[in-house]
Amino acid sequence: MLSYRHSYHAGNFADVLKHLVQVSVLDHLLLKDKPFVVHDTHGGAGVYEVASEHMQKTGEYQEGIARLYGASTGLPAINRYLNLVGRFSRPGGLSHYPGSPAISAALLRDQDRLQVTELHSTDAALLEAHFRGDRRVRVYKQDAWAGVKALLPAAHKRGLVLVDPSYELSGDDRATVAGVREAVKRFNTGCFVVWYPMLQRRRADYLARGLMGLADKHLRVELNVLNDGAARGMTGSGLVVLNPPWTLAGQMEEALPFLHGKLSQGGGGYRLESDAGVLLEHAAR
Ligand code: SAM
């Protein structure tokens, strides 16, 4: 029984980093006319209303997107992400926050495709309703890892696989590494973006190293808003990107100090590591 609902967490600091990287990878894919596929393994509900009971109950978005919304940052990648988020809101302020499938669909062209798996019955139904009539998008109420086997390799050789588990069960870290290994085997021309939470440093490092070992070319992007262990829940989050676009490291080198400045809750730091070694590291004192 799944209890996680992304509607409580939409637009939090982890979503900001994840969706910034997602938009940057999609922008790179959009540079060529050739079609591409986005495979989103854990889709969530699609679009989230800021005034909803769930978003208001946790208020997590207040320490995420609300700290950046409407800003013009001088950083093209962040501006592009913020502009895209703004397309979902009514004039005058942040009214809706897009989830990963909505972000992909907003950038897809006619020739591109989005395939999404989501296991939670309510969220899968919401997602399906959101995309009804959009012939570029297919939603499957299916387990993520069964979906990897059923839907990859995709119809096109270029693409992004976004892996964003809720890490609810004790075996989820191991299942994620195994699932991504399978996905890479099936779609080795794709770019893979895999999210992980910072709950305990050793656990996050172990998971990230396991993921980085799945492709020669990789990037690890991590943003922590609190020092390790300073809270019971997440103190930060990161992404392992396999086969990253060559532009991504430079964009993240600029973005991470800016995001930490905006999103820090009084500690934390950031780290950028590629297959060539550590590119950037900062720990707040
Ligand atoms: N990717 C979404 C976004 O960025 O907007 C958020 C996804 S949320 C972090 C994780 C989602 O995974 C939840 O909606 C949950 O219901 C779903 N989920 C959990 N276990 C799953 C599984 N085994 N297969 C597919 N979806 C699953």
Side-chain angles (χ1 to χ4, degrees), residues 262-279:
K262 289 280 186 197
L263 300 177
S264 169
Q265 298 173 23
Y270 47 84
R271 184 181 156 90
L272 186 66
E273 179 183 345
S274 79
D275 40 276
V278 177
L279 305 175

Side-chain angles (χ1 to χ4, degrees), residues 117-129:
T117 51
E118 167 57 52
L119 199 53
H120 195 289
S121 327
T122 312
D123 284 352
L126 287 167
L127 202 54
E128 214 153 38

